[in-house]
Amino acid sequence: ASADTFGFDCVCFVKGLLWGWKGDPNHAYGGASYGSNGVPDCTEKSMLNKCSDVSDDFSSIEVGEYLWMDGHAGIYVGDGLSVECTPAWTNNVQFTACNRDKTGYNRRNWTKHGKLPYIKYITTE
């Protein structure tokens, strides 16, 4: 990796975003501030345990919900897509199809999802 490369595992990618990561190589940690915004440094399973409305039914998942499967985490970004950091397929942060087939995307079958307490979820009509 080069000096301007940012490295994550799955839950550190989620925490990094919540800590304010902007991908800015001119700022330490890309702009993230460790432990900020009330977001603790925890494992992917511990992060799921902090979520509300945890479910294995994906029919009404909302944008920004935390995605979980044993040993792995991601974020739902809408339109049937998730974003995750994984060595699978291309070994980087990537968009994947969330629990369904979607042309042009690798499929990830997540087990559970839930609402993170650090995000305000707004429902629109």
Side-chain angles (χ1 to χ4, degrees), residues 1 10 26 39 43 45 57 84 90 94 99 102 109-110 114:
C10 61
N26 297 314
V39 180
T43 67
K45 178 65 174 178
D57 178 356
E84 60 180 294
T90 61
Q94 56 193 289
N99 291 40
K102 190 166 175 90
N109 293 318
W110 299 99

Side-chain angles (χ1 to χ4, degrees), residues 10-76:
C10 61
V11 74
C12 287
F13 172 63
V14 174
K15 291 183 291 190
L17 292 174
L18 294 170
W19 289 338
W21 182 80
K22 297 171 190 65
D24 186 345
N26 297 314
H27 288 87
Y29 309 112
S33 180
Y34 179 83
S36 64
N37 299 318
V39 180
D41 187 359
C42 60
T43 67
E44 99 292 334
K45 178 65 174 178
S46 295
M47 189 68 81
L48 178 69
N49 291 337
K50 295 180 184 318
C51 291
S52 62
D53 302 326
V54 174
S55 176
D56 59 5
D57 178 356
F58 285 77
S59 63
S60 59
I61 189 169
E62 294 181 41
V63 171
E65 285 198 47
Y66 184 72
L67 298 168
W68 181 86
M69 60 187 290
D70 190 24
H72 193 48
I75 296 288
Y76 184 70

Side-chain angles (χ1 to χ4, degrees), residues 1 5-10 13 72 84-96 106 108:
T5 298
F6 295 99
F8 302 99
D9 68 5
C10 61
F13 172 63
H72 193 48
E84 60 180 294
C85 186
T86 178
W89 306 297
T90 61
N91 194 25
N92 62 9
V93 175
Q94 56 193 289
F95 291 101
T96 53
N106 294 304
R108 175 70 75 186

